[in-house]
Amino acid sequence: MAADRTTPPVAVVTGANRGIGYEVVRQLADRGHHVVLGSRDLDRGRAAAARIDPGGERVTAVQLDVSDEASVSAMADRVTRELGRVSVVVNNAAILYDTWAQARSADLGEVQRALDTNLFGAWRVTQALLPLLRRGPHPRVVMVSSEGGSLQSMSGGTPAYSVSKAALNALTRLLAGELRRDRVLVNAICPGWVATDMGGRGGRPVTEGAAGVVWAATLPDDGPTGGFFRDGKPVPW
Ligand SMILES: NC(=O)c1ccc[n+]([C@@H]2O[C@H](COP(=O)([O-])OP(=O)(O)OC[C@H]3O[C@@H](n4cnc5c(N)ncnc54)[C@H](OP(=O)(O)O)[C@@H]3O)[C@@H](O)[C@H]2O)c1
């Protein structure tokens, strides 16, 4: 992971071997970031990184299972040791769009699994990288959420996913408030319905969904914090 220690800014993206996370890595690397591509399977992560950056200068694959405390600590230790800085954390990894389930009969083990990745995963990764973020000049945290977590539009169905994203939105508000004095901008982003393995066919292109995430990752210092956005525009909580 040898890299220039003064520039460029470093971004860490979770769940980035495919889907929206992969495209966020590609767009951030294009904008001049050194991107740490988190993947729970390191071989898949390395293959993804090589597709974006065959020279291996702008993208580094790192093993990262956000549901595993030891994996998150190892990632943070490695980034601290080898890069020494982080400007952007994109908490993108998520599971269990449980279209087959209902709250009244949901398997709570499944709900717990969703929370462990979609909520606690983002929480763990953010806590682990906070010391590095705080040191940097323009720190940004992006929670890749979903309108499925909007209380206003919730009316039954996808219980594990919806509750985990509503909780992620609450975490966004808490962190934004607590980290405002450290100049860390923390926002939740809905990428819209995107044609990925999770989104299925018919959604918008992944480039468009990822662009709204990259917008939040590259906000100016006077940009918003504690908000919920899609395509740069507010979405109701
Ligand atoms: N697609 C949509 O329409 C849509 C709409 C609204 C919100 N979103 C949100 O956008 C984000 C990305 O979704 P996507 O459509 O790109 O999903 P996806 O195609 O299913 O990709 C999910 C990614 O997350 C990774 N992941 C899952 N569990 C993980 C864990 N414990 N640790 C690390 N990585 C893990 C997966 O890794 P593996 O390859 O190892 O499984 C994969 O790289 C998610 O937060 C999702 O909720 C998507």
Side-chain angles (χ1 to χ4, degrees), residues 6-233:
T6 52
T7 54
V10 171
V12 176
V13 184
T14 72
N17 53 293
R18 62 189 168 100
I20 295 168
Y22 173 83
E23 178 60 21
V24 167
V25 172
R26 204 186 60 72
Q27 292 187 17
L28 285 174
D30 270 2
R31 283 167 164 255
H33 286 69
H34 184 104
V35 191
V36 177
L37 183 158
S39 174
R40 54 182 166 178
D41 180 308
L42 184 56
D43 288 340
R44 286 195 198 137
R46 284 187 174 137
R51 281 198 299 280
I52 296 171
D53 176 32
E57 282 150 13
R58 296 173 298 139
V59 180
T60 305
V62 170
Q63 197 283 330
L64 178 59
D65 180 341
V66 302
S67 69
D68 177 355
E69 182 72 52
S71 170
V72 172
S73 297
M75 176 278 296
D77 286 350
R78 185 169 169 203
V79 172
T80 304
R81 209 173 48 244
E82 297 185 22
L83 292 167
R85 64 194 192 281
V86 169
S87 298
V88 175
V89 175
V90 178
N91 288 300
N92 167 78
I95 54 169
L96 258 170
Y97 186 53
D98 52 339
T99 49
W100 56 88
Q102 301 238 294
R104 61 196 155 93
S105 53
D107 173 345
L108 297 188
E110 245 183 19
V111 178
Q112 205 155 16
R113 220 157 52 75
L115 287 170
D116 204 25
T117 295
N118 304 0
L119 171 66
F120 294 118
W123 208 330
R124 267 183 208 105
V125 168
T126 307
Q127 284 187 343
L129 293 174
L130 204 48
L132 289 179
L133 272 171
R134 277 197 169 115
R135 265 189 241 157
H138 311 288
R140 310 285 178 257
V141 175
V142 185
M143 304 299 196
V144 182
S145 185
S146 166
E147 202 167 2
S150 163
L151 295 175
Q152 189 160 308
S153 52
M154 235 178 249
S155 62
T158 62
Y161 188 76
S162 299
V163 167
S164 72
K165 293 297 191 182
L168 182 66
N169 287 353
L171 177 64
T172 303
R173 297 284 299 173
L174 294 174
L175 289 175
E178 292 174 12
L179 298 175
R180 194 182 289 268
R181 75 179 65 148
D182 294 320
R183 305 159 293 103
V184 186
L185 304 183
V186 187
N187 291 290
I189 299 299
C190 172
W193 177 29
V194 181
T196 60
D197 294 337
M198 181 186 280
R201 288 186 188 183
R204 67 205 301 218
V206 74
T207 46
E208 288 180 18
V213 176
V214 169
W215 170 81
T218 56
L219 284 169
D221 288 343
D222 61 354
T225 190
F228 187 20
F229 300 94
R230 183 172 52 236
D231 298 331
K233 298 188 184 68

